[in-house]
Amino acid sequence: MGKRSSRVNPVIANSFLLTPLTFYLGLGAVLFSLGAIGVLIRKNVIVILMCIELMLNGVNLTFIALGRHFQDLDTHIFTVMIMAVAAAEASIGLAIVVSIFRNFLSTNVADANELRG
Amino acid sequence: MWLIPLIPLLGAAFVWLFCSARPGRHALAGWIATAAALGSFAIALQFFFALPANGEILSPLWHWFTIGGASIEFALRFDRLSALMCLIITGVGSLIHLYAIGYMAEDQSRPRFFSYLNLFLFAMLVLVLGDSLPLMFVGWEGVGLCSYLLIGFWFENPENAKAGQKAFIVNRIGDAGFIIGMFTLLAATGSLTFSELVGGPKLDSWTYELAAFCLFIGAMGKSAQIPLYVWLPDAMAGPTPVSALIHAATMVTAGVYMMARMEFVYSNAPITSTLIMSIGALTAFFAATIALVQNDIKKVLAYSTVSQLGYMFMAMGAGAYSMGMFHVTTHAFFKACLFMGAGSVIIGCHHEQDLRHFGGLWKKMPLTFITYLVATLAIAGIPPLSGFFSKDLILWSVFSDHSYASKVMVFEGLALNQLLWGLGLLTAFLTAFYMTRSLVLTFFGNYRGHAHPHESPWVVTLPLIVLAFLSAGFGYLAGHDFLHYLEHWTRKDLVQIDHHDETYHQLELISIIVAAAGFLLAFLLYAFVPQLVAGLARSFRQIYRLLLNKWWVDEFYEAVIVRPLTFLANLSFAAIDRGAIDGTVNGVGNFVDANGEALRAVHTGRLQQYAAFMFVGLLLLAVVYLLFSGI
């Protein structure tokens, strides 16, 4: 990973350096894991959607932290992309949830198993 | 000239399309078909008179195909040989059509019958008129198809359908030989047109032998020679006019015609010719012995046909091509007359065919009786009726054959051709005997049936009378002119008639004596001392049963050929078709099906389970990556 931005604000850089990278990565991992566990075990569709947001945020945080660490702006682009996708996903996901609810009168994912083989 | 075969074809189509739709038109079918046959006859006659001496009329219609260097035209050839055949086919065929109107008067599917009959004529005319072997083969297969359709005409009875199939299958065996012979000639000369073949290069003798032999196998099938004759007697399952048509005018003569047409091959193949002569003689004798004891009047006639065809083959084998064709012609007259006479009796007795249930019919059906009598005398070889001349010529030509056969010594001083001549003479005796038997059993004595016999309508008797006249007079009137007429096509018979030859007259005398003896013996035995015949049958029970059951040939074929083939077919059906092919195809399906079934369990429709799989999978991938990426 090449260092393309040589001019870095020393204050921010310093304050960033005060906090170890591992802290951010750890927080990202915790967020991601919590989200993942939520997706796997919660039954309510809306909660599951929220847990997905949590996972995305964990990833975003990791990206930003690493970008800071390696002084690379590419990660920001990814992060913005993820946020856009997350917004789209949330709106479509909610629409799907609404129509699932109309069909099954339930927000429990276990009830929507019509695709069973 | 293309009109000759075209008219029956159009007739067939017209009858089929126009007459079968409404029952009101059914009666019309026969008349239209007959008119088509007659029209064809008229045109053939016109061409016959327009035919230049030694000449031929060729009518190329279109280019058919090119095979190798040989270009095959769809061309018709009208020369003396095909002119003769055309006249027989359309002439006798017309009479048979007319007769069929009477015979089939009460049948429900007359349009079908008459369109088949016309189609039969068409196919046979193509066979005869075709200018090349492939075109001849088209007609060859056409008559095969039509015989199948017509023999199995009353297909509601499974026996009849089976007889049709038998005729078809046995003929296919012969056709394989025909095709091989055809390709042998193609490979050797690079052409298949008759004129090119005749004028083509001289081949080496083994090529001639091979081609002759293979073509002979084809003729064997069509013309019912040993060992492929078994279909012909069973062909009696069809309506009688069909039997008459198949036996007398069309199908069975195809083999003889083909050999006469390919005369330039056969005259160069002495060994095969000897074989043909032997098989012909054996067939003639063999079939005659069977005919001695048959009780179905049509079966007697069918075996008689096989036997007479044996004579024709003897002539072909001896190189007496025009004499063989002479016998074809006279045989067409008297055998058609006999078959239709038998048919007339069958109508009169309400579809009774068993000789044992006839008797004394001469008072009730005088016209039928007289014509049947004339034809019987003709086939028995009583002079001066036509059968005498043709049969006698054949026997004489076999006797004086100087080719290969005369060099094969069977016994001390007895050459093969002399032996075959003896066999032919014996057959002549048997022929006179069994024909007289059928005559006496049918028309003399007391009536033994339960119906009320009556004379047939004029459409039935008129053809009989015409044919009776022809079978009586044709030999005497046309005999030697006829041979001269034909020799221009066959160019040279290997045997030439010499009227000053002493043996010629001696042999003639012998034949007359033999025929008369057979006739008289049978007449005396069956008319006056029937008890004696029954006694003879009892005391020679073994032989009688052997003959009655046709030497058990059908049973022999059944055991030796049909059974093993059926077994093999079943085996390959089970092993190859079911096992290998179906197994592979179904196996693929079953494999996919079973795997799908197993994997169904995974598709629970539970989103979270799917997600869990995904995570586990990703985790595993990550672990693998970490382990193997060398970090």
Side-chain angles (χ1 to χ4, degrees):
Chain A
M1 220 176 266
K3 291 184 180 179
R4 272 181 287 162
S5 56
S6 51
R7 292 194 338 116
V8 177
N9 186 336
V11 179
I12 294 173
N14 279 340
S15 66
F16 184 78
L17 286 173
L18 287 175
T19 330
L21 173 66
T22 42
F23 179 77
Y24 292 97
L25 293 183
L27 181 61
V30 168
L31 280 175
F32 185 86
S33 304
L34 281 175
I37 292 165
V39 167
L40 291 184
I41 64 173
R42 294 302 296 258
K43 292 295 173 196
N44 192 315
V45 184
I46 296 169
V47 176
I48 288 174
L49 274 178
M50 281 157 48
C51 287
I52 291 173
E53 297 295 324
L54 217 52
M55 288 164 71
L56 291 168
N57 281 334
V59 173
N60 277 347
L61 183 59
T62 312
F63 264 129
I64 295 298
L66 287 171
R68 246 327 186 198
H69 181 71
F70 290 113
Q71 300 288 301
D72 189 344
L73 278 174
D74 289 358
T75 56
H76 293 227
I77 295 167
F78 280 116
T79 309
V80 171
M81 276 303 286
I82 290 172
M83 283 161 72
V85 171
E89 178 254 313
S91 61
I92 293 172
L94 279 170
I96 292 172
V97 168
V98 168
S99 78
I100 283 178
F101 182 74
R102 281 190 185 157
N103 273 304
F104 297 98
L105 294 178
S106 142
T107 52
N108 190 333
V109 282
D111 291 338
N113 58 357
E114 291 286 293
L115 287 176
R116 179 174 71 236
Chain B
M1 184 160 60
W2 43 270
L3 274 175
I4 299 174
L6 190 66
I7 291 175
L9 181 63
L10 287 179
F14 188 76
V15 167
W16 178 259
L17 295 173
F18 177 74
C19 294
S20 57
R22 282 192 225 158
R25 290 177 185 158
H26 280 192
L28 208 57
W31 293 106
I32 294 171
T34 310
L38 268 175
S40 191
F41 178 61
I43 296 172
L45 211 58
Q46 201 180 337
F47 270 95
F48 172 75
F49 286 120
L51 191 66
N54 299 330
E56 60 202 28
I57 305 173
L58 280 179
S59 160
L61 294 179
W62 63 82
H63 180 72
W64 193 13
F65 61 84
T66 307
I67 176 167
S71 150
I72 305 296
E73 300 285 325
F74 204 97
L76 302 181
R77 151 187 287 275
F78 198 85
D79 57 19
R80 296 197 161 185
L81 189 58
S82 48
L84 169 70
M85 287 302 286
C86 265
L87 289 180
I88 297 177
I89 294 161
T90 53
V92 178
S94 299
L95 292 174
I96 291 168
H97 274 72
L98 185 66
Y99 172 88
I101 294 173
Y103 193 85
M104 302 298 283
E106 282 154 27
D107 202 90
Q108 290 305 308
S109 35
R110 269 169 294 168
R112 184 162 66 90
F113 179 76
F114 280 105
S115 70
Y116 287 170
L117 222 51
N118 259 0
L119 197 65
F120 206 148
L121 281 194
F122 162 72
M124 192 63 196
L125 287 168
V126 169
L127 192 164
V128 167
L129 287 170
D131 184 37
S132 56
L133 274 173
L135 194 53
M136 186 193 249
F137 191 66
V138 170
W140 193 268
E141 290 304 305
V143 291
L145 170 71
C146 290
S147 74
Y148 163 72
L149 291 174
L150 283 168
I151 293 169
F153 181 71
W154 287 322
F155 58 83
E156 290 89 349
N157 181 352
E159 284 296 312
N160 296 354
K162 216 175 244 174
Q165 283 171 13
K166 190 170 175 185
F168 196 72
I169 292 166
V170 173
N171 268 298
R172 293 293 77 69
I173 300 171
D175 294 345
F178 189 106
I179 293 174
I180 296 169
M182 186 156 87
F183 281 106
T184 308
L185 282 178
L186 178 68
T189 63
S191 73
L192 286 174
T193 319
F194 293 132
S195 41
E196 287 175 23
L197 283 173
V198 172
K202 187 112 172 93
L203 307 175
D204 75 298
S205 61
W206 286 109
T207 316
Y208 275 127
E209 296 283 359
L210 180 64
F213 181 71
C214 292
L215 289 173
F216 170 58
I217 293 176
M220 236 186 230
K222 263 306 161 257
S223 296
Q225 295 298 294
I226 291 173
L228 298 181
Y229 73 94
V230 286
W231 65 270
L232 192 63
D234 287 27
M236 295 297 96
T240 303
V242 175
S243 313
L245 193 63
I246 290 179
H247 287 246
T250 60
M251 188 159 161
V252 296
T253 56
V256 184
Y257 165 77
M258 186 268 281
M259 288 165 70
R261 175 63 84 193
M262 304 303 288
E263 147 270 344
F264 54 92
V265 173
Y266 284 95
S267 51
N268 284 310
I271 298 174
T272 306
S273 288
T274 303
L275 180 72
I276 292 168
M277 192 167 26
S278 318
I279 286 184
L282 279 177
T283 308
F285 176 71
F286 189 70
T289 57
I290 298 174
L292 284 178
V293 296
Q294 294 303 308
N295 287 320
D296 182 331
I297 185 168
K298 283 170 74 182
K299 283 255 162 92
V300 173
L301 295 177
Y303 278 107
S304 159
T305 305
V306 176
S307 174
Q308 296 298 311
L309 285 163
Y311 274 120
M312 298 171 203
F313 273 59
M314 277 163 86
M316 295 294 151
Y321 306 105
S322 52
M323 299 171 207
M325 290 309 292
F326 185 32
H327 197 54
V328 167
T329 315
T330 57
H331 178 255
F333 297 145
F334 55 68
K335 189 49 66 63
C337 187
L338 285 171
F339 261 115
M340 303 210 285
S344 175
V345 170
I346 292 168
I347 311 174
C349 296
H350 301 285
H351 293 273
E352 178 59 69
Q353 304 199 3
D354 197 320
L355 282 172
R356 288 167 295 192
H357 298 156
F358 296 146
L361 292 177
W362 69 276
K363 274 175 293 190
K364 288 164 181 151
M365 312 178 79
L367 275 174
T368 308
F369 165 62
I370 292 167
T371 51
Y372 198 90
L373 175 69
V374 170
T376 301
L377 292 178
I379 194 177
I382 305 289
L385 304 179
S386 62
F388 163 72
F389 292 98
S390 52
K391 194 185 290 184
D392 193 48
L393 277 172
I394 289 174
L395 286 176
W396 173 79
S397 60
V398 170
F399 188 80
S400 50
D401 177 35
H402 292 299
S403 64
Y404 186 75
S406 61
K407 296 183 187 76
V408 182
M409 289 296 156
V410 185
F411 299 112
E412 195 81 20
L414 180 63
L416 181 61
N417 65 327
Q418 285 162 319
L419 183 74
L420 296 179
W421 170 79
L423 212 52
L425 204 62
L426 196 56
T427 309
F429 174 77
L430 293 176
T431 309
F433 191 88
Y434 67 71
M435 285 313 303
T436 312
R437 169 179 177 262
S438 79
L439 179 82
V440 171
L441 286 180
T442 309
F443 293 102
F444 291 92
N446 296 318
Y447 183 59
R448 299 181 290 273
H450 306 291
H452 296 285
H454 50 82
E455 186 57 279
S456 307
W458 71 270
V459 284
V460 171
T461 49
L462 178 70
L464 284 175
I465 295 167
V466 175
L467 285 171
F469 269 108
L470 283 169
S471 30
F474 189 80
Y476 185 67
L477 296 175
H480 290 222
D481 295 339
F482 183 84
L483 291 181
H484 282 299
Y485 176 76
L486 263 188
E487 266 169 9
H488 286 291
W489 162 252
T490 54
R491 291 174 308 165
K492 52 180 192 328
D493 281 336
L494 300 182
V495 192
Q496 296 293 333
I497 311 168
D498 177 7
H499 293 288
H500 306 294
D501 188 0
E502 274 292 302
T503 50
Y504 179 72
H505 294 293
Q506 283 167 2
L507 290 178
E508 216 166 37
L509 198 64
I510 296 175
S511 314
I512 296 171
I513 293 169
V514 162
F519 180 78
L520 287 175
L521 185 63
F523 195 85
L524 293 176
L525 273 180
Y526 282 95
F528 298 110
V529 277
Q531 314 88 312
L532 184 63
V533 182
L536 279 174
R538 261 197 302 281
S539 40
F540 296 100
R541 191 177 301 133
Q542 297 301 329
I543 299 174
Y544 180 73
R545 283 191 42 214
L546 180 71
L547 295 181
L548 193 63
N549 290 300
K550 309 152 203 162
W551 297 75
W552 280 289
V553 169
D554 275 328
E555 286 77 4
F556 174 75
Y557 281 177
E558 177 75 24
V560 175
I561 299 170
V562 179
R563 287 264 176 75
L565 274 181
T566 316
F567 175 74
L568 209 64
N570 282 335
L571 191 72
S572 36
F573 176 62
I576 298 173
D577 205 62
R578 282 263 183 77
I581 298 173
D582 285 8
T584 311
V585 174
N586 289 341
V588 171
N590 286 340
F591 177 74
V592 173
D593 203 43
N595 282 327
E597 196 61 38
L599 287 173
R600 260 182 88 163
V602 179
H603 281 250
T604 55
R606 305 175 76 110
L607 286 175
Q608 288 176 315
Q609 207 172 39
Y610 296 167
F613 285 142
M614 256 165 66
F615 280 121
V616 171
L618 273 174
L619 220 58
L620 281 177
L621 279 177
V623 169
V624 169
Y625 179 73
L626 287 175
L627 281 178
F628 292 100
S629 64
I631 299 172

